Amino acid sequence: MSLAIATTSATPQRNWLEKLGAGHIILAVALVLYPLVASDFFLTQIGGYSLIFGMLGLSLMLLAGYGGMVSLAQITVAGIAAYAIAILGNNNSSILGLGWPWWLAVPFAVLAAALASALIGWISVRTEGIYTIMITLAIATATFYFAQQNYAIFNGHSGYTGIRAPVFWSVNWRDARPFYYLCLGLAALSYAAVLYGSRSTFGMTLQAIRDNPRRMRALGYHVTAHKVFAWLLAGVIAGLAGVLLVWFNGRVSPGTIGVDAAIDVLIIAVIGGLRHPIGPFLGAVVVVLMQTFAIDIVGAERFNTLIGMVFLVIVFVSPDGILGLWGRIKPHLAQESLRPGP
Amino acid sequence: MRMHRRTLLALAVFTGLTAPSMALAADDTIKIGLLATFEGPFTVLGEDGERGAMTAVAEMNGTVAGKKIEIVKGSSDASPDSAVRAARKLVEQDGVKVLVGPLSGDEGIAVKDYAKTQPNVTFINGTSAAQDTTLRDPAENFFRFSTDGAQWMAGLGTYAFKDKGYKKVATVAEDYSFPYTQVFGFMAEFCKAGGHVPSKSWVPIGNKDFSSVIAAIPEDVDAIYVALGGADAVNFLTQYQQGGGTAPLIGGSITVDQTVLTSKGKLKEVLKGTPSAGPTADTNDAPAWKAFVEAYKKQPGAFPSPSLFAHGYYVDMKATLLGLDQVGGDVSDGGKKLRDALSKLSFDTPTGKVSLDKNRNAIADIFLTEVTEGADGNLLNKLVKVVPQVNQTLGIPEDEFMKLGAVNRENPSCP
């Protein structure tokens, strides 16, 4: 409640606490304290996994929400980073595994992912709407089959196993709590970067290009360059998520980057909502919880039907996802609070 | 006030996310995890595996050592990632101390790797049959009572060469560790007998269009060895027949399994007379097998005859329950007693005696079969011969066997 007091005594010059907003602070405190109440399973399998998929959704939200480019290739970009970690670092599949230390392998993996993302963007940037979806889906599928059938570099269907998260600063980052904080840190960084970036000149230009590319071109903006740069930035986030994903699973195989996973990322972004960077994280929590526990609710035969139904209901009730749902409930709550007490 | 409500909502969401992490099992129940493929191309196979496991549970009337058996299911889609994720959920969230599964080759290797990180949990295989799950770098707490894919091929290579007279055989198999193991098992005998394999085709799981594969098969082969599973086998065989292919077939264990034989369509003529080998034979006359078939048929949606997945899951679940029975259902010591009991366990299954070697891999009887039409028009695997007590090194001394190298796409080779 002290925060509310701070808000009422606001001076015209807003301090950083106010800029941050009460919602963010509460969320941050809750997420930082989460390990105090959660079991190891809830820390990594639900918490960490949601944050990783939230980052993947975020990279899609950046492209789709601000740039109007819906991509199905974000998991592919993450997969490139994951495979890069497996190939450059250590693995026990006795193929490649160049043994680079993590602090060299990680930047290379993220860089490779970002460049690959920019390349995918460069290929698909001339298309719009459903054609962007199709071309990125084609790229994702092609990469999946390429990985599955290439034995010299990708080790085929089995992929790479035995990949360990590094140990540094005398912390084993594969342990539940450090890994959760690692995911949380990187997710928060990506989230803040996207939020900040969306209000920057580049972010504004990108949104203007989304709304009216012809006018922006006429004004002298290089539309293609802006879009490709957005792909590069989305690639950095997806690449980081890919590094976390390979440390999380301890392995990477074509199944990691299959079409199912690509569609999962799209579902996460759509379920969560594309209007604000928090949306994909909300979507990721819902999807991960559903995928983990639906089998306990309805048994092994029908659980995928239940998952599909829940997603349908969310999109039916609120076409712009959970964020939109919140936007609809909020005015009611505000009204409620204005009513006289009982 | 608005702020207050928002805080409450955040708190509600937050506690909702963390609260359900309760996996307390009552003292009078034993939780067993059951991991199978309930999604993806092997769904039918996974469902039959479940029927097999449940047959074993039903046989014990749902109790072991006076405690009620509670089965917690986990689902994978045959990819190693999903298998590990499902196993983690069963172990770390549901708190199972005993896990039966998974179904498919690469899944088994991945779960074995995971088993090493959970020394207090006992893992018993489902039907996963890759050789390296137990032969190389095994996990102390991973047991396989259901034999591997190379063992399943015992007798087939010699039979194809000597009795059928095939000298040159092309192979078509899926591109992952289990079919490698099957091809290895077939070729180990076939090449030794003097046969040649001029071409090996590896196709990805879930392939729909086999025209290029069919075109690549050499014209002058005497037969084609096919090791494909589920929908892949049906697709290949249909397209091969439609393409006018006439070469006789030799079947991998799961290619002529009930999961394929019961599929509708014109496959009957193609499949009739196909020799194969595996852990089961439909026309087995042994009373134990007949009793098992009757018990299996009580499961909902059962096939006319149990597939090898039902059999494998049955044997592994049965072993698990026998082991638990011996230790009085006590796994409070991190499963140490249970693992000791399991390593020494030897029992009679519907398909003969099963015991374990030092790598905790099964030694069991293997059945040489041929596909025939049953009295009611269903296709069946007719028992030709029993190869008794096949071990993982196929009767070859272990050091000699290890020199053959790890199974993969190139190994073995006899063009």
Side-chain angles (χ1 to χ4, degrees):
Chain A
M1 292 321 279
S2 62
L3 290 170
I5 294 161
T7 328
T8 49
S9 65
T11 48
Q13 201 67 33
R14 301 204 305 163
N15 66 28
W16 64 271
L17 256 181
E18 286 164 281
K19 267 190 198 163
L20 213 53
H24 279 150
I25 294 169
I26 292 169
L27 189 67
V29 170
L31 286 173
V32 168
L33 296 182
Y34 178 60
L36 294 180
V37 288
S39 64
D40 279 3
F41 179 81
F42 264 79
L43 266 186
T44 53
Q45 299 294 312
I46 304 293
Y49 199 50
S50 297
L51 287 166
I52 293 170
F53 264 85
M55 283 171 74
L56 280 171
L58 180 69
S59 78
L60 172 58
M61 182 270 154
L62 193 166
L63 290 175
Y66 298 130
M69 301 170 280
V70 179
S71 158
L72 276 173
Q74 295 317 103
I75 193 77
T76 309
V77 175
I80 287 165
Y83 269 110
I85 291 287
I87 291 166
L88 298 175
N90 289 309
N91 66 66
N92 59 13
S93 299
S94 58
I95 290 187
L96 294 170
L98 306 177
W100 291 16
W102 69 270
W103 46 265
L104 206 58
V106 170
F108 259 86
V110 175
L111 187 69
L115 291 177
S117 176
L119 184 69
I120 296 171
W122 194 56
I123 293 169
S124 62
V125 82
R126 261 162 272 266
T127 58
E128 261 178 40
I130 194 151
Y131 300 101
T132 313
I133 301 180
M134 290 311 294
I135 201 161
T136 48
L137 177 62
I139 291 169
T141 314
T143 314
F144 166 71
Y145 278 111
F146 182 67
Q148 177 149 315
Q149 284 167 286
N150 186 317
Y151 280 77
I153 309 173
F154 293 101
N155 198 24
H157 183 268
S158 315
Y160 288 100
T161 60
I163 300 150
R164 299 265 167 273
V167 177
F168 58 92
W169 300 336
S170 57
V171 177
N172 178 6
W173 293 91
R174 181 66 194 88
D175 286 346
R177 203 168 282 195
F179 186 75
Y180 169 77
Y181 280 122
L182 183 67
C183 291
L184 181 62
L186 287 175
L189 203 66
S190 313
Y191 170 77
V194 171
L195 205 58
Y196 177 80
S198 70
R199 296 166 191 169
S200 70
T201 318
F202 170 74
M204 291 298 180
T205 317
L206 189 65
Q207 291 169 60
I209 287 172
R210 170 196 65 194
D211 294 337
N212 199 334
R214 283 179 66 195
R215 180 175 291 174
M216 291 305 280
R217 202 171 283 127
L219 285 171
Y221 285 94
H222 197 315
V223 169
T224 307
H226 275 81
K227 283 185 168 181
V228 172
F229 188 64
W231 275 90
L232 185 83
L233 295 178
V236 172
I237 296 174
L240 284 172
V243 172
L244 292 175
L245 191 63
V246 72
W247 284 347
F248 169 78
N249 281 327
R251 54 176 299 115
V252 57
S253 66
T256 316
I257 59 167
V259 175
D260 293 1
I263 290 171
D264 276 352
V265 175
L266 184 66
I267 289 176
I268 282 168
V270 170
I271 293 281
L274 290 170
R275 284 191 313 188
H276 189 275
I278 197 70
F281 290 100
L282 293 175
V285 170
V286 171
V287 169
V288 168
L289 283 175
M290 284 303 297
Q291 287 185 342
T292 311
F293 293 110
I295 194 165
D296 295 340
I297 303 172
V298 284
E301 281 75 32
R302 299 276 176 273
F303 71 101
N304 275 323
T305 317
L306 178 72
I307 295 176
M309 297 273 280
V310 169
F311 296 165
L312 260 180
V313 167
I314 291 179
V315 177
F316 181 74
V317 172
S318 167
D320 40 6
I322 299 169
L323 267 185
L325 212 59
W326 175 241
R328 242 157 273 199
I329 295 169
K330 207 164 70 171
H332 291 291
L333 288 179
Q335 288 293 316
E336 187 97 346
S337 68
L338 291 176
R339 279 183 204 146
Chain B
M1 198 58 205
R2 204 173 122 242
M3 172 77 66
H4 186 58
R5 282 183 183 281
R6 195 187 280 185
T7 316
L8 274 181
L9 193 76
L11 270 176
V13 171
F14 180 60
T15 47
L17 291 185
T18 54
S21 59
M22 279 176 245
L24 297 172
D27 261 355
D28 54 348
T29 62
I30 287 187
K31 249 191 202 182
I32 299 175
L34 176 64
L35 172 57
T37 53
F38 299 120
E39 304 160 69
F42 293 162
T43 306
V44 180
L45 289 52
E47 286 169 359
D48 208 43
E50 184 193 342
R51 278 175 215 125
M54 296 317 280
T55 308
V57 174
E59 206 171 274
M60 309 282 268
N61 292 321
T63 56
V64 63
K67 298 182 183 183
K68 206 172 158 301
I69 300 167
E70 185 191 345
I71 300 287
V72 193
K73 288 176 206 165
S75 170
S76 71
D77 59 10
S79 76
D81 299 39
S82 69
V84 171
R85 206 153 52 236
R88 269 183 180 160
K89 193 240 168 193
L90 291 172
V91 170
E92 295 171 31
Q93 174 62 20
D94 298 322
V96 303
K97 295 284 171 230
V98 184
L99 191 153
V100 178
L103 178 128
S104 163
D106 280 342
E107 292 184 294
I109 294 176
V111 169
K112 172 206 51 173
D113 283 337
Y114 172 66
K116 289 180 184 168
T117 68
Q118 296 290 338
N120 292 330
V121 179
T122 308
F123 294 79
I124 298 104
N125 188 47
T127 52
S128 159
Q131 194 174 58
D132 280 351
T133 311
T134 50
L135 189 65
R136 290 179 181 81
D137 192 22
E140 290 296 315
N141 51 344
F142 191 98
F143 297 78
R144 175 154 66 192
F145 288 89
S146 52
T147 54
D148 80 17
Q151 290 174 278
W152 292 353
M153 290 284 96
L156 184 61
T158 316
Y159 181 73
F161 188 84
K162 294 206 172 125
D163 295 57
K164 288 279 181 181
Y166 303 147
K167 310 289 177 225
K168 255 182 159 183
V169 170
T171 71
V172 177
E174 280 148 338
D175 203 351
Y176 69 101
S177 55
F178 166 65
Y180 301 161
T181 308
Q182 288 245 286
V183 170
F184 177 96
F186 170 74
M187 286 177 68
E189 278 189 21
F190 185 68
C191 296
K192 206 171 172 187
H196 295 284
V197 177
S199 102
K200 288 190 264 183
S201 306
W202 303 107
V203 296
I205 295 180
N207 196 19
K208 301 280 184 299
D209 178 12
F210 287 90
S211 49
S212 61
V213 176
I214 292 167
I217 296 171
E219 290 285 328
D220 62 340
V221 293
D222 300 324
I224 303 174
Y225 173 86
V226 185
L228 302 168
D232 290 349
V234 175
N235 285 337
F236 172 81
L237 295 171
T238 313
Q239 290 174 31
Y240 182 68
Q241 187 209 24
Q242 282 168 354
T246 51
L249 301 173
I250 304 169
S253 302
I254 67 172
T255 311
V256 293
D257 187 63
Q258 282 296 323
T259 51
V260 175
L261 294 183
T262 50
S263 69
K264 304 279 180 282
K266 290 184 187 164
L267 287 180
K268 269 189 187 166
E269 297 310 313
V270 190
L271 282 169
K272 251 190 240 170
T274 302
S276 180
T280 64
D282 297 332
T283 63
N284 191 346
D285 277 337
W289 173 255
K290 284 186 167 165
F292 170 61
V293 174
E294 287 316 308
Y296 160 84
K297 277 188 184 164
K298 291 194 188 107
Q299 294 293 323
F303 293 120
S305 182
S307 71
L308 71 82
F309 299 96
H311 171 261
Y313 269 89
Y314 169 83
V315 169
D316 279 304
M317 182 59 88
K318 185 72 189 284
T320 309
L321 298 178
L322 289 175
L324 281 169
D325 194 47
Q326 279 187 20
V327 298
D330 178 20
V331 285
S332 55
D333 58 344
K336 205 178 163 307
K337 269 192 295 182
L338 172 63
R339 287 194 286 278
D340 283 346
L342 285 175
S343 346
K344 293 187 201 104
L345 188 63
S346 161
F347 67 108
D348 283 315
T349 72
T351 50
K353 194 185 106 166
V354 168
S355 57
L356 292 186
D357 64 15
K358 66 177 171 51
N359 286 338
R360 295 161 300 284
N361 190 76
I363 301 167
D365 293 352
I366 298 299
F367 298 81
L368 193 64
T369 60
E370 228 173 83
V371 178
T372 46
E373 195 168 341
D376 51 355
N378 288 322
L379 288 185
L380 292 170
N381 278 312
K382 187 182 69 180
L383 175 60
V384 176
K385 201 176 110 188
V386 181
V387 187
Q389 298 298 300
V390 179
N391 68 3
Q392 196 172 23
T393 59
L394 310 172
I396 303 167
E398 192 185 337
D399 51 339
E400 222 173 285
F401 188 80
M402 295 306 275
K403 273 187 214 140
L404 297 175
V407 293
N408 59 38
R409 316 173 99 219
E410 279 83 35
N411 185 35
S413 168
C414 58

